Amino acid sequence: MLEEWEQRGTEAGGWQMSTGARANATVLARWFAWAVICAGPILGLLAWLSAAAAVDAVPPPRPRAQHAEADGAGPSGFAELYVSAFVAAGEGDQDQLAPYYPSAGQLQLDGKSGRQTATQTTAVRVRQTASGAWSVTVAARLGPKGGEKEDGAKSGALRYFQVPVLASAGGDGSGAEDYVAATLPAEVAAPGGQPRQPQLGYGPERAAVPGDTRAETARDFLDAYLTGSGELDRYLAPGLHMEPVRPAPYREVEVEYLAVAGEESAGPATGVPANGTRQRLLVQIRATGDDRVPVPLSYALTLTARAGRWEIAALDATPATADRTPPTAPTGPAT
């Protein structure tokens, strides 16, 4: 390429250049060529830096704040504390309520401070009524201070209070959300009224009798599960693994009653059906610990038949109910 430029430098417009001019043109052509060659990497680096700067100039998306109150935990805890302070408030306790209800200073509070206390509080219903607003129903078990009946207070009474909770900007300037009660609590009836006894999807309850194969399997399994006596795996269907309760809370287990899903007969089952037969049982037991006091417990079990005996296929999380479709393949608890 240099030779071509030299040739062009010697012939321009059909006339011949002098020897000195020709030499100068050759030197200039060589310097120009080297400048182009050396500038290539530098220009490429500058282009890359320019592109990187353009990318950095694009602001990253701002992360969205995740608030704990999305699941009601924050408003619930606030309402529980508020109700505890409210039921214990008496004459001169306005300042005890002010952190929850700013208008508490204008209240007239009567009675002795702490004449009753909330021994237990828990939120039983949380409804978000608007953005930053919740209605929280708190169950409070009330009792007189020190457990003594005073001023007509009933020890152990369970009452319900509905609290309107609002979110507000925190006063510390951090931008974090705080909570405040819009009004005083309102005492209300128990949510949902009196609970109804659910209709379970089992047949008639029957007493466990000797020779009932299903009752015996349930007893042996629960004895190993709750007392630690015997090997638990021997009572489980293949593929199911469970760990016994540790430390063992009981010394003895006795099956009192059982009911079988889809079976209206009240007679005991003395045999074992064909392999693969599955049955769901609700078993009521009495488990006795070191204090020799029997404790009634209920277990929902799924049994499967194999090789002429019953095996435990699952310790069901919930019993079968008449108005709900039972799971097709119940499984035992994860271990």
Side-chain angles (χ1 to χ4, degrees), residues 126-175:
V126 181
R127 292 188 302 113
Q128 185 163 10
T129 57
S131 177
W134 296 263
S135 173
V136 182
T137 302
V138 176
R141 190 171 297 281
L142 305 188
K145 186 176 181 180
E148 299 177 358
K149 291 186 178 181
E150 183 179 335
D151 295 339
K154 294 182 179 180
S155 179
L158 186 63
R159 290 152 70 175
Y160 297 86
F161 297 88
Q162 185 171 284
V163 179
V165 179
L166 303 178
S168 62
D172 56 1
S174 65

Side-chain angles (χ1 to χ4, degrees), residues 75-100:
S76 297
F78 172 85
E80 291 171 12
L81 293 173
Y82 179 32
V83 168
S84 294
F86 173 77
V87 298
E91 186 176 356
D93 283 343
Q94 285 83 352
D95 59 338
Q96 301 296 319
L97 294 181
Y100 308 98

Side-chain angles (χ1 to χ4, degrees), residues 254-327:
E254 175 189 0
V255 175
E256 286 194 306
Y257 303 99
L258 74 154
V260 183
E263 191 170 285
E264 298 301 327
S265 171
T270 56
V272 178
N275 288 354
T277 302
R278 295 169 72 91
Q279 291 187 348
R280 302 189 74 185
L281 271 64
L282 183 63
V283 182
Q284 181 173 317
I285 69 171
R286 291 174 70 83
T288 305
D290 291 334
D291 58 2
R292 296 314 225 173
V293 177
V295 177
L297 300 170
S298 294
Y299 288 87
L301 305 173
T302 297
L303 273 59
T304 184
R306 186 176 72 93
R309 72 187 191 107
W310 289 107
E311 294 176 329
I312 303 298
L315 174 56
D316 298 332
T318 58
T321 54
D323 55 347
R324 291 177 174 86
T325 303

